[in-house]
Amino acid sequence: MQDVEADLALLTDAARAAGEVAMRFFRRDPQTWEKPDDAGPVTEADLAVDALLRDRLTGARPGYGWLSEETPDSAARLDQDRVFIIDPIDGTRAFVKGDSAWAHSLAIAEGGQIRAAAVLLPVGGALYAAGRGLGATLNGAPIRCSARGALPGATVLAARPSYDPGNWIGTVPEVSRQYRPSLAYRLSLVAEGRFDAMLTLRDSWEWDIAAGALILTEAGAHVSDRTGAPLRFNNPHPQVPGVVAAGPAVHDALLAELSHAR
């Protein structure tokens, strides 16, 4: 447990340092490029945060592998027992627009599972964190997911395509539809209990969801892919088939309603 605590402290300290770097660029017209294949924007802030985190984290844990959205991937991480999974800025479009709903997402995987995680929203200073077996916190205070017992009327964080009728066995459930641009933030908000559930039915990059998945689990939620299978991390191709996350009853109800046809 002490080992997990040390890794968690490393991540939270690094997340705060990342926030300080990102805020130097925020609302200051950072240089921005479009990634190939319509993969979205990247800014000089993303790259600066990525460089800071890689130097700081791998310097502290040289035996850990590295997987980051903004670093070219290497198969070498597959041979390492523990791996950093990092999104330097999750919600880059929001960052570029000057909106506040973007985050730094930092996690450490071991044996396909996340052992420590931190999600920081620098605008507003919300730091979500969790260590395996240690519970989940927001700015140091314990958090728990919603205890809602039924799906109808639940508040669900999801993008509009998730409500396409083809994704559901019958009619689309009657829920209160909500949205935030950062997947890491959506996951954390459900862990905090401010919303009942989140889902994304598209294949999801590990760096978007790794930290939030542990924070949710430690907050008492159930987290799976869109078929109900457990999430595993540090895959050769670092994606999972969607994410469904909620308190136990709402999670099970969502899975019962979802079509698993792809």
Side-chain angles (χ1 to χ4, degrees):
M1 195 67 72
Q2 186 175 0
D3 195 16
V4 172
E5 290 174 346
D7 275 353
L8 180 56
L10 175 66
L11 293 186
T12 56
D13 288 347
R16 292 187 184 98
E20 292 175 2
V21 170
M23 291 299 288
R24 296 173 196 159
F25 297 91
F26 185 54
R27 295 175 179 165
R28 297 185 182 181
D29 194 26
Q31 189 173 359
T32 305
W33 307 266
E34 287 294 324
K35 296 181 183 179
D37 303 318
D38 296 320
V42 61
T43 74
E44 57 183 326
D46 295 82
L47 302 182
V49 171
D50 187 64
L52 167 88
L53 291 175
R54 186 168 190 180
D55 179 70
R56 186 168 185 142
L57 295 174
T58 62
R61 302 286 190 273
Y64 289 19
W66 181 260
L67 173 64
S68 167
E69 180 176 12
E70 307 305 346
T71 304
D73 195 12
S74 168
R77 64 180 169 80
L78 301 174
D79 297 323
Q80 290 166 297
D81 292 334
R82 295 178 183 172
V83 179
F84 291 109
I85 303 179
I86 305 296
D87 194 341
I89 297 179
D90 184 37
T92 298
R93 287 187 176 88
F95 181 88
V96 171
K97 291 178 181 177
D99 296 339
S100 61
W102 51 275
H104 306 300
S105 179
L106 291 68
I108 298 172
E110 180 181 34
Q113 302 299 313
I114 305 304
R115 58 184 271 111
V119 171
L120 174 69
L121 279 88
V123 183
L127 177 61
Y128 300 87
R132 190 187 302 164
L134 299 178
T137 61
L138 169 57
N139 293 337
I143 54 176
R144 295 292 293 177
C145 70
S146 164
R148 187 180 183 88
L151 181 58
T155 54
V156 178
L157 288 162
R160 186 176 300 172
S162 295
Y163 299 106
D164 185 290
N167 289 321
W168 303 90
I169 294 172
T171 59
V172 180
E174 293 292 332
V175 297
S176 174
R177 303 182 184 188
Q178 309 289 330
Y179 181 71
R180 297 292 186 278
S182 162
L183 270 173
Y185 188 29
R186 286 183 235 169
L187 291 158
S188 299
L189 285 168
V190 175
E192 186 187 352
R194 286 175 58 186
F195 297 87
D196 297 312
M198 68 77 60
L199 69 155
T200 179
L201 303 180
R202 298 172 175 174
D203 288 348
S204 303
W205 293 106
E206 291 186 19
W207 46 72
D208 289 329
I209 62 172
L214 179 67
I215 294 166
L216 268 162
T217 300
E218 289 294 321
H222 287 187
V223 186
S224 70
D225 70 19
R226 62 173 292 162
T227 72
L231 299 180
R232 290 193 63 80
F233 296 92
N234 196 33
N235 298 294
H237 180 65
Q239 283 189 314
V240 300
V243 181
V244 180
V250 172
H251 178 269
D252 291 351
L254 281 167
L255 287 179
E257 298 279 352
L258 280 169
S259 167
H260 301 317
R262 300 297 299 275

